[in-house]
Amino acid sequence: MARDSSWRQLWSVGPGGDGPKGIARRLHPLDWVAGGLLALGLIAVVTGLLPTEPAAEQMRRVGPLVVFLGTVIVMAELTSRAQVFDVVAAWVARAGRGRYVLLFVLCVLFASLTTITLNLDTTAVLLTPVVLALAARVGIAAVPLAMTTVWLANTASLLLPVSNLTNLLAADRVALSPSGLAAVMWLPQLAAIGVTAACLWAFYWRRGRRGQDRYTPPAAPVAEDPVLLRICAVACAGFLLAILLADVPLWAASLTAMVVVVAAFAVRGRGRELRLSLVPWRLLVLVPGMFLVVETVNAHGLHELLEWALGSDNGFAGMVRSAAVGAGMSNVLNNLPAYVAGEAVVPAGNREQLLALLIGVNVGPLVTPWASLATLLWFERCRLHGTRIDMGRFLWTGLVLSATATLAAVCALWLVS
């Protein structure tokens, strides 16, 4: 989670922060949402609204996901503190040689690679402040860079299970390994990134939108601790290779990589940075609570409504329909409950329909600020940086991209199915 996460207050002492009232004043609204969902889920189990057996099944399913989320985000946060992102971002700006077209291509590749390998929340939370700071340092307009990170945090999250929590759920349902999922989703992922790049250029990066014709490349980056930087970079690379080539369980690979990074910080004299506030408490509370609440709602009417909305067609028309419903539900509610609820309705043998639903909930949540957790976190990072996002423009450009990228990815899935 972000370094300034309000859950840090649970482990800090200071004026107003050492008692329950002080903690409550510092909790972010998202923290209250996460806690509220978990409380509602537990109340549903206690009161019998959600029977014990399906509740236990959901918790067995969510256990490995929670371990993965906690470890991979701690790893990504420490990797950021080791300046891996800063160095790569500076390298990208230098490699652009002052030319916006080349910088644009490199930024798209950088944001896509971060999302694919480290997950969309890493791009939203950790990469966004890096590129915004870089924009201020070299005189690049901030909004095009900001939109690049938030759009690709969502649309570049199709390829691997690690890229998005919804992918972990889908891979488990259709029994696909990381390499197996990549083999199916590589073309939809390319299509989604291609359409995103086209919309980014048309709406934010083209001449007249970005503010300048050229920029001044930054000085060569100098890491505070080159050894630590290399260890963290190697740990991230090893994590990716482990899940792709060895098909190691994601939770085991992320846990191992995190242990390596934590040990490196301890050995290199940076142990003071190893605090419990690194743990993404909000996510670890939100995910189980959301699963319980969605399962409860499913048991009391949502399931039947979604059966009607999604249908059971596993052909092209059914794929488009499922993706549209997933994208629409994501923008009305949130992409995670949209996928969990939709997955329960899709017939067991309809793999293509399920993957189309996955495309809808990954690529589609671009219109409303709450459509994905990554987008909510991105807005928070932009606000803290002082970057103003025009909501009207955000909504209508996001709607265009949501519709076109979702349709393009579904068509690509149909071609490879």
Side-chain angles (χ1 to χ4, degrees), residues 38-245:
L38 182 58
L40 287 174
L42 294 175
I43 290 171
V45 175
V46 170
T47 60
L49 284 173
L50 178 60
T52 303
E53 186 175 341
E57 175 59 31
Q58 289 300 317
M59 291 304 97
R60 282 192 293 269
R61 188 181 187 190
V62 82
L65 305 182
V66 169
V67 174
F68 163 73
L69 279 174
T71 53
V72 79
I73 291 180
V74 169
M75 178 189 70
E77 172 69 19
L78 290 175
T79 299
S80 176
R81 295 189 182 196
Q83 297 181 285
V84 173
F85 293 154
D86 299 80
V87 169
V88 175
W91 177 86
V92 166
R94 286 172 60 80
R97 300 176 182 177
R99 292 178 287 179
Y100 268 96
V101 174
L102 183 54
L103 177 67
F104 168 72
V105 172
L106 292 171
C107 284
V108 168
L109 291 175
F110 183 26
S112 298
L113 185 63
T114 302
T115 300
I116 289 169
T117 58
L118 288 175
N119 80 47
L120 72 169
D121 293 327
T122 296
T123 301
V125 174
L126 301 179
L127 183 57
T128 298
V130 169
V131 297
L132 291 178
L134 183 66
R137 186 160 64 241
V138 300
I140 305 171
V143 172
L145 284 168
M147 294 304 301
T148 301
T149 59
V150 70
W151 276 2
L152 286 167
N154 289 285
T155 62
S157 66
L158 284 173
L159 190 64
L160 298 175
V162 66
S163 309
N164 199 322
L165 179 57
T166 54
N167 296 2
L168 290 169
L169 300 172
D172 178 61
R173 165 73 181 268
V174 297
L176 285 175
S177 65
S179 56
L181 183 64
V184 174
M185 300 299 279
W186 68 271
L187 189 58
Q189 182 63 95
L190 286 178
I193 292 175
V195 174
T196 303
C199 288
L200 280 168
W201 183 264
F203 296 141
Y204 292 100
W205 277 83
R206 63 183 172 84
R207 188 176 184 181
R209 292 292 182 190
R210 59 182 181 247
Q212 298 181 24
D213 289 327
R214 294 185 65 86
Y215 68 93
T216 303
V222 178
E224 296 175 5
D225 188 338
V227 174
L228 183 62
L229 183 146
R230 293 190 190 100
I231 293 173
C232 291
V234 169
C236 291
F239 164 68
L240 180 61
L241 290 175
I243 64 172
L244 282 178
L245 302 181

Side-chain angles (χ1 to χ4, degrees), residues 241-262:
L241 290 175
I243 64 172
L244 282 178
L245 302 181
D247 284 343
V248 174
L250 281 171
W251 67 267
S254 61
L255 177 61
T256 302
M258 185 201 72
V259 169
V260 171
V261 171
V262 167

Side-chain angles (χ1 to χ4, degrees), residues 327-404:
M329 283 185 61
S330 296
N331 284 294
V332 172
L333 301 173
N334 179 271
N335 67 332
L336 183 55
Y339 176 79
V340 173
E343 183 199 65
V345 172
V346 175
N350 287 14
R351 191 183 80 162
E352 285 71 29
Q353 185 186 11
L354 182 70
L355 292 176
L357 173 68
L358 180 68
I359 288 173
V361 301
N362 282 17
V363 178
L366 300 167
V367 185
T368 58
W370 56 83
S372 73
L373 181 61
T375 305
L376 279 170
L377 297 171
W378 173 81
F379 266 105
E380 184 181 348
R381 304 310 293 170
C382 289
R383 179 184 62 81
L384 292 172
H385 183 267
T387 299
R388 181 181 177 275
I389 304 298
D390 184 291
M391 279 305 302
R393 187 169 184 79
F394 177 87
L395 293 175
W396 78 261
T397 58
L399 179 61
V400 171
L401 176 58
S402 177
T404 54

